[in-house]
Amino acid sequence: MSDLRELYQEVILHHNKSPRNFGTLEDANRRADGHNPLCGDRLSLGLKVVDGRIEDVRFSGSGCAISKASASLMTEAVKGRKAEEADALFHRFHELLTGPPDVKVDGKELGKLAVFAGVREFPVRVKCATLAWHTLEAALAGGETASTETP
Amino acid sequence: MTAAATLPRPLDVASIRGDFPILSRKVHGRDLVYLDSANTSQKPTAVLDAMDRYYRQSNANIHRATHLLSEEATRAYEGARETARRFVNARSTREIVFVRGTTEAINLVASGFTWKHVKEGDEILVSGLEHHSNIVPWQILCERTGAALRVIPIDDAGDLILEEAERLISPRTRLVAVSHVSNALGTINPVREIIRLAHAQGVPVLVDGAQAAPHLAIDVQDLDADFYAFSGHKMCGPTGIGVLYGKEAWLEKLPPYQGGGDMIASVTFEKTTYNALPYRFEAGTANIAGGVGLAAAMDYLLGVGLDRIAAHEHELLVYGTERLQAISGVRLVGTARQKAGVLSFLLGDVHPHDIGTVLDQEGIAIRTGQHCAQPVMDRYGIGATARASFALYNTREDIDALVRGLAKVQELFS
């Protein structure tokens, strides 16, 4: 179970059970839907962006523990940030998930998102962890859909 | 499924397992428990050796050269066609077209029907249980011809509603395309009955037999199927080879699928004459080693006996159904009257993907997701299921391991 505990950290299990910012954002001015066709996960994201800053964000949908916890923790991480800051955070988050094992990623900048470090050992689950972020990118870029298969 | 009536001799599963080298490997330090045969099956030594022997001893191109190796290779490939004919009890090897797999077989028929036989206002009838490969080729046909796709609905258990099939088959129907066994739920469809209903209206039927071939004895004459498609890799054979059975009269009516070498009788820049059946549908150098491997797989299954395999898998299905239903929080999806060895299920609110990851750490391989059958998932209002599927080499111990694995899933996600 030790590898599994690396993947399914307590924080992840907790956010899976009680996701933050879950639901529909009524006054959203940016929206996008994310889809992972490999496992059928679907996610809808609503953002309220004012002067380039993400003032509010909510998500809904269904997915595995990794994708749901990732969406939940993402909403906490990007709320109040500028769009470019969110982009930069996704970049570092992606490095955390896919980088070579010997390259350490600075966990300080990632904050709570560092709990996904264990995903690196489970390559098939990387897309679960990034679905919400791809959807965020699509929403910020003014798109409507994001798929893990067309990044 | 007539096991009880005839009581075939039980399988010596320990000996069968010895025929499959991969079953003795470890996964994450555990003994492999392979419960994903509906996805692809494992291969016995007989298949691996036949392909190895072919490449080492007889490799050459077929149907064209005058040398001994080519003669041997041709004999091996055409021998494989005869084995496939025997396997499905076709009248003639002219009715056995080698293809890449079930998907290509269906696309071949759909492409032929696009150019002939179908026009605007016509209908193609499929069932609500189909794999994407028996939906999308028909949607492409509909796009190109202006025909409409109709769907025979299923009930809550996962059984086709036969009265609806009867109602939906009309003078506009050009073809009924239906699976023999559902990959997502395991339902064994009443294909003989559907074929009878369709034929009463003069409508041909294509049967997707991908999930039936490894588990049930197939007799295309007895079924009176017009087309029957299946894949080698799901029946202990290699990937990249499969069979399209077609009644000679139907294959004669279909235009060629792909152009190239081997499918022609003569070529000039002015006019090309196509080859005889089945070669007209086999352009280019064939997957010769694949054919050889597939024949070895068919011989292997026939040697064990499809009736015995069906009885063994049915016994596992009954045992597995009982064990899973005894777990609090398990919901079986698909409880049709007649089922092959497939258990599709949900476990509380744990996502199937997470179930799959936890089981994998225990060495247990299952499939999770939509099973290339999104409409089936939509029918039940679910995004995905976990699916354990059986083959002749599975045991009660495999199911016990699955049950123990599910306990670990519950422990982690409690």
Side-chain angles (χ1 to χ4, degrees):
Chain A
M1 291 289 261
S2 62
D3 284 348
L4 281 175
R5 289 285 179 196
E6 281 295 305
L7 176 67
Y8 293 112
Q9 302 269 334
E10 281 306 325
V11 176
I12 291 177
L13 292 173
H14 187 64
H15 275 259
N16 174 47
K17 270 208 163 146
S18 323
R20 315 296 194 273
N21 301 307
F22 192 78
T24 312
L25 187 63
E26 295 303 338
D27 58 345
N29 53 13
R30 308 278 176 88
R31 287 180 201 279
D33 293 325
H35 182 212
N36 181 346
L38 298 183
C39 51
D41 288 359
R42 284 178 184 282
L43 182 142
S44 293
L45 197 66
L47 303 174
K48 186 181 173 195
V49 182
V50 178
D51 296 335
R53 197 177 289 280
I54 301 166
E55 292 215 328
D56 205 359
V57 50
R58 288 176 90 80
F59 81 100
S60 59
S62 67
C64 65
I66 303 297
S67 76
K68 216 158 144 191
S70 175
S72 171
L73 282 154
M74 178 193 80
T75 58
E76 284 192 329
V78 302
K79 205 188 266 194
R81 287 198 196 238
K82 293 203 148 216
E84 309 86 72
E85 291 172 342
D87 276 345
L89 198 57
F90 180 27
H91 185 70
R92 269 190 296 281
F93 184 61
H94 205 266
E95 276 178 351
L96 175 80
L97 301 178
T98 58
D102 49 328
V103 176
K104 263 200 89 142
V105 174
D106 187 0
K108 232 188 276 170
E109 280 182 71
L110 284 166
K112 272 197 207 169
L113 296 176
V115 296
F116 290 98
V119 175
R120 201 183 266 199
E121 302 298 322
F122 295 80
V124 295
R125 306 304 299 270
V126 168
K127 285 172 180 170
C128 308
T130 55
L131 176 62
W133 289 90
H134 283 296
T135 313
L136 176 72
E137 297 269 278
L140 288 173
E144 284 172 353
T145 56
S147 168
T148 53
E149 297 314 287
T150 49
Chain B
M1 298 300 99
T2 52
T6 51
L7 278 179
R9 203 157 40 87
L11 292 189
D12 179 357
V13 184
S15 148
I16 284 173
R17 290 181 69 81
D19 295 336
F20 290 80
I22 206 169
L23 295 180
S24 54
R25 74 159 279 181
K26 302 274 180 190
V27 167
H28 301 303
R30 309 295 184 93
D31 290 333
L32 167 65
V33 175
Y34 191 74
L35 292 171
D36 196 19
S37 294
N39 206 349
T40 196
S41 63
Q42 297 304 345
K43 323 302 175 198
T45 305
V47 169
L48 306 175
D49 285 353
M51 295 177 75
D52 188 67
R53 204 164 44 240
Y54 164 75
Y55 273 130
R56 285 177 194 277
Q57 301 274 339
S58 308
N59 179 56
N61 213 331
I62 52 173
H63 298 154
R64 54 195 85 184
T66 49
H67 53 77
L68 178 70
L69 295 190
S70 175
E71 234 173 75
E72 285 182 13
T74 304
R75 212 179 310 134
Y77 195 63
E78 291 308 321
R81 201 186 302 277
E82 168 56 23
T83 305
R85 185 206 63 76
R86 195 156 41 89
F87 191 81
V88 296
N89 191 33
R91 287 164 204 83
S92 148
T93 50
R94 287 192 299 279
E95 300 180 317
I96 302 295
V97 180
F98 280 126
V99 288
R100 272 193 300 147
T102 309
T103 298
E104 187 174 49
I106 296 171
N107 275 280
L108 190 161
V109 177
S111 155
F113 270 66
T114 300
W115 301 114
K116 283 191 176 181
H117 315 302
V118 180
K119 57 182 190 320
E120 199 173 344
D122 288 346
E123 293 178 358
I124 301 289
L125 187 58
V126 298
S127 92
L129 281 171
E130 299 312 308
H131 188 282
H132 294 163
S133 63
N134 202 21
I135 299 173
V136 182
W138 306 116
Q139 287 175 326
I140 293 173
L141 170 149
C142 288
E143 237 170 75
R144 289 178 179 165
T145 59
L149 191 69
R150 297 275 178 263
V151 184
I152 309 167
I154 57 173
D155 65 18
D156 289 342
D159 274 311
L160 282 187
I161 304 173
L162 214 50
E163 303 76 60
E164 288 290 317
E166 190 164 10
R167 196 180 61 79
L168 284 162
I169 299 169
S170 80
R172 286 187 299 280
T173 314
R174 285 292 155 268
L175 183 93
V176 178
V178 65
S179 54
H180 197 163
V181 172
S182 149
N183 75 307
L185 306 182
T187 307
I188 301 176
N189 285 322
V191 284
R192 188 200 312 270
E193 187 63 10
I194 291 168
I195 290 169
R196 197 186 58 76
L197 290 172
H199 285 180
Q201 308 255 9
V203 177
V205 178
L206 175 142
V207 180
D208 168 355
Q211 296 293 342
H215 310 296
L216 309 172
I218 295 161
D219 185 332
V220 291
Q221 294 191 58
D222 181 52
L223 289 175
D224 203 18
D226 300 282
F227 300 99
Y228 197 101
F230 56 100
S231 301
H233 75 97
K234 296 206 196 276
M235 51 189 297
C236 304
T239 51
I241 186 86
V243 170
L244 170 67
Y245 158 82
K247 276 184 188 164
E248 200 170 334
W250 268 111
L251 290 179
E252 287 289 0
K253 278 189 236 179
L254 291 191
Y257 176 53
Q258 293 180 325
D262 232 20
M263 58 79 71
I264 44 80
S266 94
V267 177
T268 67
F269 284 113
E270 287 69 40
K271 181 158 178 63
T272 289
T273 342
Y274 303 127
N275 205 342
L277 291 179
Y279 309 109
R280 180 194 303 174
F281 296 106
E282 296 180 357
T285 292
N287 180 357
I288 307 166
V292 168
L294 174 59
M298 290 176 170
D299 280 333
Y300 180 82
L301 293 176
L302 291 170
V304 175
L306 267 308
D307 287 346
R308 296 172 73 204
I309 293 170
H312 170 69
E313 291 174 0
H314 185 68
E315 196 260 334
L316 286 179
L317 178 70
V318 171
Y319 179 70
T321 304
E322 274 172 20
R323 292 293 320 261
L324 285 195
Q325 276 176 334
I327 301 172
S328 129
V330 163
R331 173 186 159 202
L332 286 178
V333 181
T335 49
R337 288 185 292 272
Q338 292 218 306
K339 273 182 70 171
V342 170
L343 289 169
S344 227
F345 62 93
L346 302 169
L347 179 63
D349 57 1
V350 184
H351 193 280
H353 219 164
D354 296 315
I355 298 174
T357 294
V358 176
L359 292 181
D360 177 55
Q361 290 295 305
E362 301 294 316
I364 304 165
I366 62 159
R367 170 106 185 246
T368 64
Q370 304 176 332
H371 318 296
C372 298
Q374 205 182 324
V376 176
M377 300 296 113
D378 292 346
R379 166 65 178 76
Y380 288 94
I382 53 183
T385 72
R387 181 189 69 183
S389 55
F390 315 130
L392 70 166
Y393 39 69
N394 287 116
T395 61
R396 283 180 170 231
E397 287 71 31
D398 291 340
I399 292 166
D400 295 340
L402 172 68
V403 170
R404 281 195 302 276
L406 292 177
K408 297 220 162 162
V409 175
Q410 287 183 313
E411 186 189 320
L412 187 66
F413 287 93
S414 60

